[in-house]
């Protein structure tokens, strides 16, 4: 499970979409949210947009792997698609906040790799939120204030990326994914491979 978190406007969404374009065997976990859909967002692709009542039903039935209230709205990760993708041997990418990340740690810390994305400067963060122009000035201010509460959680993450340049950040994120996939504990069938290798070696060494 690859978790990417950041304050709104740090470029995380662009980064994660690019990663999905480039990487095989990675599925995006599509969250449910009670937030209103932005004009550019597509139901079922960016989020599943649901009512607060629907959210409560899912949460109370234990169908959310994690959930949190962010910027006054509820967000959560449906459990079933994540379990299905993992069972099929796919990695799952999560675009969730620090509260959700800590909940995933509680479940399966060794299976979670977390990355915190930071903007290069405060001005750039504001500029990206304003340029996005899909949120009202009120919402932009709220998200900026929220960044002050989110950024101090950087130290709970395995990796930190300062997103100065999208391509460079994408390369670094892919490097993290590759290295984490190559960790000994995650290599499937390695013991079988080594047994075979040793057995062949014994034959030619004697
Ligand atoms: P936005 O409203 O800008 O799409 O997202 C606001 C924040 O909610 C982002 O930091 C995003 O990562 C976080 N978020 C989105 N989906 C989830 C989720 O399912 N769980 C949690 N905990 N946070 C989420």
């Amino acid at each position: 499970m690859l978790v990417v978190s950041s304050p709104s406007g740090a470029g995380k969404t662009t980064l994660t979409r690019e990663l999905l374009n480039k990487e095989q065997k990675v599925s995006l976990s599509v969250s449910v949210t009670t937030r209103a859909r932005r004009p550019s967002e597509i139901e079922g692709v960016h989020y599943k947009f649901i009512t607060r009542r629907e959210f409560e039903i899912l949460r109370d039935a234990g169908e959310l792997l994690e959930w949190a209230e962010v910027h006054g709205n509820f967000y959560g990760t449906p459990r079933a698609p994540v379990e299905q993708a993992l069972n099929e041997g796919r990695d799952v990418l999560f675009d969730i906040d620090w509260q959700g990340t800590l909940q995933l740690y509680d479940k399966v810390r060794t299976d979670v790799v977390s990355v915190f994305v930071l903007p290069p400067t405060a001005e750039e963060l504001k500029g990206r939120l304003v340029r996005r122009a899909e949120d009202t000035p009120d919402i932009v201010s709220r998200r900026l204030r929220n960044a002050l509460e989110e950024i101090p959680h950087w130290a709970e993450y395995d990796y930190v990326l300062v997103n100065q340049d999208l391509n460079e950040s994408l390369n670094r994120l892919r490097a993290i994914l590759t290295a984490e996939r190559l960790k000994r504990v995650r290599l499937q069938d390695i013991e079988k491979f080594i047994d075979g290798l040793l057995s062949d070696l014994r034959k030619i060494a004697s």
Side-chain angles (χ1 to χ4, degrees), residues 12 31 35 38 47 66 68 75-77 95-97 100 143:
K12 171 188 54 180
S31 298
R35 153 164 95 57
R38 295 190 188 119
Y47 285 105
E66 61 73 36
Y75 296 81
T77 301
D95 172 342
I96 61 176
D97 82 330
R143 283 167 184 260

Side-chain angles (χ1 to χ4, degrees), residues 117-162:
V117 180
L118 289 165
T121 63
E123 279 308 309
E124 182 62 29
L125 182 74
K126 182 172 183 193
R128 287 182 192 165
L129 285 174
V130 171
R131 281 197 297 277
R132 185 153 80 189
E134 289 197 70
D135 297 317
T136 63
D138 260 14
I139 293 181
V140 169
S141 309
R142 184 168 185 178
R143 283 167 184 260
L144 279 176
R145 284 196 306 275
N146 229 275
L148 282 171
E149 283 166 30
E150 286 169 11
I151 290 174
H153 290 279
W154 68 275
E156 288 147 13
Y157 283 72
D158 299 321
Y159 298 90
V160 177
L161 286 180
V162 178

Side-chain angles (χ1 to χ4, degrees), residues 16-194:
T16 52
R17 305 292 141 156
E18 289 293 319
L19 181 77
L20 289 166
N21 282 340
K22 294 263 191 295
E23 288 289 341
Q24 307 289 310
K25 295 186 83 178
V26 181
S27 298
L28 177 69
S29 164
V30 179
S31 298
V32 290
T33 182
T34 61
R35 153 164 95 57
R37 189 175 66 80
R38 295 190 188 119
S40 65
E41 289 176 329
I42 301 164
E43 161 68 28
V45 173
H46 297 91
Y47 285 105
K48 295 191 184 81
F49 296 92
I50 61 175
T51 63
R52 194 167 272 229
R53 180 79 195 115
E54 288 168 328
F55 187 93
E56 286 164 356
I57 290 171
L58 286 177
R59 184 192 60 193
D60 297 346
E63 286 182 30
L64 300 180
L65 199 54
E66 61 73 36
W67 66 274
E69 188 177 350
V70 187
H71 311 132
N73 294 300
F74 288 98
Y75 296 81
T77 301
R79 176 190 299 277
V82 173
E83 288 177 349
Q84 189 182 335
L86 292 175
N87 286 338
E88 288 167 2
R90 300 178 66 79
D91 294 321
V92 181
L93 175 66
F94 298 80
D95 172 342
I96 61 176
D97 82 330
W98 62 272
Q99 305 175 78
T101 306
L102 295 188
Q103 292 171 53
L104 287 190
Y105 286 171
D106 279 347
K107 299 217 159 88
V108 272
R109 182 64 184 95
T110 50
D111 287 345
V112 180
V113 174
S114 61
V115 182
F116 199 82
V117 180
L118 289 165
T121 63
E123 279 308 309
E124 182 62 29
L125 182 74
K126 182 172 183 193
R128 287 182 192 165
L129 285 174
V130 171
R131 281 197 297 277
R132 185 153 80 189
E134 289 197 70
D135 297 317
T136 63
D138 260 14
I139 293 181
V140 169
S141 309
R142 184 168 185 178
R143 283 167 184 260
L144 279 176
R145 284 196 306 275
N146 229 275
L148 282 171
E149 283 166 30
E150 286 169 11
I151 290 174
H153 290 279
W154 68 275
E156 288 147 13
Y157 283 72
D158 299 321
Y159 298 90
V160 177
L161 286 180
V162 178
N163 187 19
Q164 180 94 45
D165 174 84
L166 176 66
N167 269 329
E168 182 61 35
S169 299
L170 181 61
N171 287 339
R172 291 179 180 185
L173 188 57
R174 294 184 75 189
I176 292 167
L177 182 64
T178 302
E180 289 288 343
R181 280 174 169 166
L182 289 171
K183 276 199 168 156
R184 176 177 49 78
V185 289
R186 297 205 177 95
L187 290 179
Q188 284 165 5
D189 296 330
I190 191 71
E191 284 178 28
K192 218 161 74 191
F193 167 77
I194 289 172

